[in-house]
Structures are given as C-alpha cells and as structure tokens.
Amino acid sequence: MAETTANDVEVATKPPGPDELPLVGSLKEFFEDPLQFYTETADEYGPVAYFTLGGNDFVTVSSPEYVKDVLVNNDDEYVKGQQFDDLMGPICGNGVLLAEGDFWQSQRETLEPAFDPETLSRHCQVMTDYTQRRMDRWTSGEERSVYEDLMYTTLEIAGKVLFDFDVRPLDGDIPAAMETVRDYVARRLWRPVEVPEWMPMPGKREYREALALIDETAYTIIDEAKASDSDQQTVIDLLLDKDDPLSRQQIRDEVFTLLLAAHENTTLSATYTLQLLAKNPYAMEKVHAELDDVLDGDAPTFADIPRLTYLDKALTESLRLYPPVYSMLRETKADTTLAGYAIPEGTTVSCQQWAIHRDSTFYDDPLSYRPERWTDEFEERLPGFAYFPFGGGPRRCIASRFAKFEVKAILATMLRNWELETTLEKIEFKPSISLRPDTDVTMVPTPR
Ligand code: HEM
C-alpha cells in the first residue's frame, strides 16, 4: 500500500490486481464474463483492485467503506467520466445523468419536484390503469414475454406521468429504437479497443436511424407540451419555467435522459422480481396472500402501496440480487488516493453493487432469494453502502422513491389476478450499462 523511499517519505502504491498481458490487460477475462471477473477480482485482490483494459486504468471498489469514500466523502474528486460520456453522450447529451458542476446542480433542483410524494399520489392511477390495459391482452396458458410487456408498460407510464404524452402510437417503434441504441452502445462497450467514430461498425446505420426517431419523438413531446392548455404541470413546464432559459437541445437531452432512465431500470427490476418470485413459490404465495388481504379484490390505490410490506421486501431483495445498475462508473479528476492506494488522474473507478450485494460478510446465504431477511433490525445493522441499488451521495437516483412505488404498483396490479409460471430455468445476463437479460423473459399466466 505504501513504500518507503531512500528519504523515508511514504509513497502510496497502486492497488493490487491480476498479472496481465501487455497492451490488452485483462480484456479477455473481462469480456468473457464481467460479473464473474468483478467478483473474482474482489475475492482475490481485496476491496480495491487495479486492472487495465486495452491500456485504460480501471479500479474496482467492492467494500461499502470505500464506495462511500468515492460517492460521498470525496465525491468532488470524481466525475462521471469519459467512458460513461462516450457511451451515453449520444443518447442523453448533457442531461442531468451526465452533466457536471453547477449546471448539473441547477438541473437536478429543477427536476426534483417531478418526483416528490405529492406528484406520486397524482400518478398512481395511471400506473395501475396502464398496467391493467396491458394485462387485458393476456390469455390463460399463452406464453408471454413479460419483459416486453413491462417495457411497453413502463414507457407508456413514463410518457404520461412525466410529459402528459401518449407514446402508444409509437409503442412498437420507441422500444425498438431504444433497444437498437442500447445494443449499439453495448457493442461499443464490449469492443476491446477504441475504434475511431468515423470507422464503419455493424449496426451503425440502424443506430443513427434509431437516434433520429428518438430526437423526433423528444421534439414532438416538447412541442405538444408547449402547445397544451392542460392544467397538468409536466416536466417540460419545469424546464421551460427556468429563469435562465434552456436551449431546445438541452430540453431534448433532459426529455430523453428521463425517458430512458424511467423506462429501462424499472422494466429490469420488475422483470427480475417476477422471475425470482416465480422461481420461489413460497414467496409468490406470500405476495398473493398479502394482495388478497390488502386489496380485497380491488385495484391498488395510492394508500394501498405502502401497506404491501411483503411485496416491498420482495422488490428490495430482488434489487439486491439482480441490481439493474450493477456497477457505477466514476473517473478521477486528478491524482488521488483511495484506501491508502495511489489512483492516478483519469482512472475509471467502478463501484460494485454486484460484488457487495453478494458479499457473505453482510448477507447470510447471499445467493439465495430471501425477502424475509429485510427486517427493520437487519436494515439497521447493515452498514451504509452494503446495499445501494440507487447509488448514493449527491448523484443518487433522483427517482428512487418514485421508482419503487411504480414497480410495486405495476407488480400488485399484475399479480392480484394472475399466477405466473416461468419458462426459464435460470436467468443469464448480458451486462452493458445496466444488467440486461441475455434472453427474452417469458412466462405463462393463468388467472387466479
Ligand atoms: C428500479 C429502478 C431504478 C434504478 C435501480 C435506478 C438506479 C439509479 C442509479 C444507481 C443511479 C446513479 C447513477 C450514478 O451515480 O452513476 C441513478 C441515477 C438517476 N436516475 Fe435512476 N434508477 C431507477 C429508476 C429511475 C426512474 C424511474 C427515473 C426517472 C423517472 C430515474 C432517473 C434517474 C436520473 C435522472 C438519474 C441521474 C441523477 C443525477 O445524476 O443527479 N431513475 N438511477
């Protein structure tokens, strides 16, 4: 950790890490299975470990204490960074997810009211109605892609509650465009070496077309919101009402940042919770019993959602085991130290939900799905950042409460009337920016 020089001055050394091939570093192991690579690196080299990918410096952080150093105690020493920017910049521009400094702060403050509890109370019915509308297409015994159903549902909800916009005419096109963008982004992420932007890459034309559709949709959303005389305050109104007016491009960046953020991670967490419940029938039975008890045959209301305490634990546990954001990237602004190790300027630092959420130091039988573990006493004992599916510090998810509420409202609406049998033995992942499934997630519904 520290070496002593001839003059007896302690110099921090870089963190331990795997022996690597020159130039390529740990590319092969990382690209074969990043989730396994992260866990094995933590097991073998400890909570702060160093490796390189094609000449770029990486550090993984897999202890709550040092994650807190990065995200909270020394957060001013880090930015989201070039890797994250390169990948998400074409999609989110300078929206609140990627912006930095005073501008980020001002955008965050502008957007926060859209996610407060009062706003939630207005949107519960949209969440349940839109879910029900999709469930109405289900037929007993017919295999469904719940992943796709949830993708459409969350997108329709996001369009309505954030922008008072009906995305249904574009239902098929927008998720497909988002998928194309995400696939292309994932391929760039998985590319072993940096290829200049001008070089042809498979799928680039489709990517550009998808981005054009997304731009067009974002501008339509903005124009319709401007022209609307509805009393409903939308996120666009919040953005248009700023004293220091924003450019049309900046509003587009926020619209698309929110649409992507609102749709992707909620879809993943709802899908994984359904899969885990379907694989653990005792837990599914408890969810059903609670829904019967609390809802008494009716659709869930705003007041019902906090009373669904077992469903809450089921979701909390699913976000532990399969966190949609499984690793969060930061970059050092200047040379710094972490856990006593030297971390040079420009190093990509990855805070590891995946490894920490599965650490037996904090969780008994960590690979099992056990909603019951989430008692008040357990939560009190759990160190900060042993569980952080929504990140932490100033850049914590702006919508964590909103997201949990929405996923619970969707799952309660689905499960109160349906049994679900999974057709997948085991879920495999294709991790990119988020923890995406490698195959479609299908289930067979039967009415209860
Ligand atoms: C279960 C669902 C969700 C999960 C697991 C999740 C997770 C996260 C995480 C881990 C971050 C921090 C990223 C970082 O620091 O690098 C984040 C940021 C963010 N999330 Fe979420 N999120 C979810 C749902 C949502 C929803 C529904 C919205 C919007 C409606 C949203 C909007 C945002 C935004 C705008 C940021 C950037 C905040 C900032 O940098 O100030 N998220 N989310």
Side-chain angles (χ1 to χ4, degrees):
M1 180 177 307
E3 283 170 356
T4 308
T5 64
N7 299 329
D8 269 358
V9 178
E10 283 206 339
V11 181
T13 58
K14 74 175 191 210
D19 286 336
E20 296 179 324
L21 291 170
L23 299 177
V24 289
S26 294
L27 272 180
K28 183 170 172 296
E29 297 77 4
F30 184 82
F31 287 115
E32 265 170 14
D33 187 344
L35 298 174
Q36 189 174 338
F37 177 79
Y38 281 141
T39 3
E40 283 179 2
T41 308
D43 286 349
E44 215 163 311
Y45 302 101
V48 178
Y50 169 86
F51 64 99
T52 62
L53 291 181
N56 294 313
D57 293 324
F58 278 79
V59 163
T60 59
V61 186
S62 43
S63 106
E65 182 189 352
Y66 302 129
V67 167
K68 189 173 177 195
D69 280 346
V70 175
L71 297 183
V72 183
N73 299 339
N74 304 320
D75 70 299
D76 55 347
E77 295 185 359
Y78 299 85
V79 284
K80 291 267 175 128
Q82 199 57 46
Q83 300 268 343
F84 203 48
D85 248 23
D86 284 353
L87 291 167
M88 301 303 286
I91 309 167
C92 300
N94 198 32
V96 67
L97 182 70
L98 292 179
E100 297 285 353
D102 292 345
F103 183 68
W104 161 75
Q105 181 83 51
S106 139
Q107 290 302 90
R108 173 128 185 160
E109 282 164 15
T110 303
L111 292 170
E112 260 160 4
F115 304 104
D116 67 21
E118 202 270 317
T119 313
L120 265 185
S121 67
R122 281 193 280 127
H123 296 317
C124 180
Q125 193 165 352
V126 171
M127 294 171 181
T128 57
D129 283 356
Y130 281 28
T131 309
Q132 188 56 51
R133 196 166 67 188
R134 178 111 336 232
M135 300 305 87
D136 290 344
R137 301 176 183 208
W138 286 12
T139 311
S140 177
E142 188 191 40
E143 186 170 327
R144 295 282 313 184
S145 165
V146 289
Y147 181 51
E148 197 177 282
D149 279 329
L150 286 163
M151 195 149 62
Y152 290 143
T153 307
T154 56
L155 190 65
E156 288 166 15
I157 293 174
K160 181 68 184 166
V161 305
L162 297 174
F163 310 118
D164 198 18
F165 184 81
D166 186 359
V167 297
R168 271 178 303 166
L170 294 159
D171 245 4
D173 298 339
I174 298 186
M178 289 197 178
E179 204 69 4
T180 305
V181 170
R182 281 189 293 243
D183 271 350
Y184 184 80
V185 165
R187 273 202 303 279
R188 284 194 69 190
L189 184 71
W190 300 123
R191 204 169 44 187
V193 281
E194 194 52 42
V195 177
E197 192 49 45
W198 51 264
M199 276 189 64
M201 246 195 88
K204 194 164 184 172
R205 188 173 55 81
E206 292 79 0
Y207 167 73
R208 290 225 164 108
E209 285 170 5
L211 266 187
L213 175 79
I214 283 157
D215 273 353
E216 193 189 315
T217 309
Y219 288 125
T220 309
I221 291 176
I222 298 169
D223 292 338
E224 284 198 12
K226 274 180 167 173
S228 161
D229 51 11
S230 143
D231 298 341
Q232 171 135 8
Q233 260 247 330
T234 69
V235 169
I236 310 284
D237 297 315
L238 297 175
L239 293 165
L240 287 172
D241 287 351
K242 285 187 73 138
D243 295 339
D244 202 358
L246 296 168
S247 68
R248 191 166 157 77
Q249 167 75 42
Q250 182 63 41
I251 299 179
R252 172 259 175 241
D253 290 349
E254 297 301 359
V255 166
F256 195 51
T257 295
L258 289 178
L259 216 46
L260 184 79
H263 148 77
E264 166 131 53
N265 291 330
T266 33
T267 298
L268 292 173
S269 62
T271 304
Y272 295 151
T273 309
L274 285 180
Q275 172 70 14
L276 286 161
L277 286 171
K279 290 303 277 180
N280 291 275
Y282 87 93
M284 184 68 103
E285 268 173 36
K286 285 191 170 185
V287 168
H288 278 143
E290 181 177 78
L291 291 172
D292 293 345
D293 182 34
V294 173
L295 305 182
D296 200 18
D298 296 327
T301 64
F302 177 68
D304 292 327
I305 303 297
R307 296 173 59 212
L308 298 171
T309 51
Y310 190 80
L311 184 61
D312 195 274
K313 291 178 202 287
L315 172 59
T316 303
E317 177 72 343
S318 149
L319 287 166
R320 177 186 74 81
L321 212 45
Y322 299 154
V325 179
Y326 64 99
S327 148
M328 280 165 39
L329 301 183
R330 293 290 186 271
E331 186 182 297
T332 46
K333 288 202 267 190
D335 291 352
T336 184
T337 56
L338 178 63
Y341 294 115
I343 315 288
E345 176 185 346
T347 301
T348 300
V349 174
S350 145
C351 297
Q352 281 299 310
Q353 279 99 335
W354 182 261
I356 295 177
H357 286 189
R358 290 162 173 251
D359 188 334
S360 58
T361 319
F362 313 114
Y363 301 99
D364 287 342
D365 195 7
L367 302 188
S368 294
Y369 179 67
R370 285 180 28 200
E372 294 69 26
R373 74 170 87 239
W374 292 96
T375 60
D376 290 347
E377 302 75 56
F378 176 73
E379 288 196 41
E380 267 160 37
R381 276 200 321 269
L382 201 61
F385 289 94
Y387 180 78
F388 60 117
F390 293 101
R395 305 295 300 244
R396 186 174 199 279
C397 179
I398 198 171
S400 55
R401 215 163 15 165
F402 180 98
K404 277 196 88 175
F405 183 94
E406 179 183 347
V407 175
K408 282 175 68 183
I410 292 173
L411 294 179
T413 310
M414 287 175 113
L415 293 174
R416 82 186 174 99
N417 289 329
W418 294 93
E419 299 275 359
L420 287 172
E421 197 185 315
T422 174
T423 53
L424 280 182
E425 192 41 49
K426 187 169 175 273
I427 221 157
E428 301 286 347
F429 297 106
K430 183 172 65 174
S432 60
I433 289 287
S434 36
L435 188 69
R436 298 173 61 205
D438 197 19
T439 52
D440 198 1
V441 181
T442 52
M443 292 190 184
V444 179
T446 42
R448 300 181 61 223

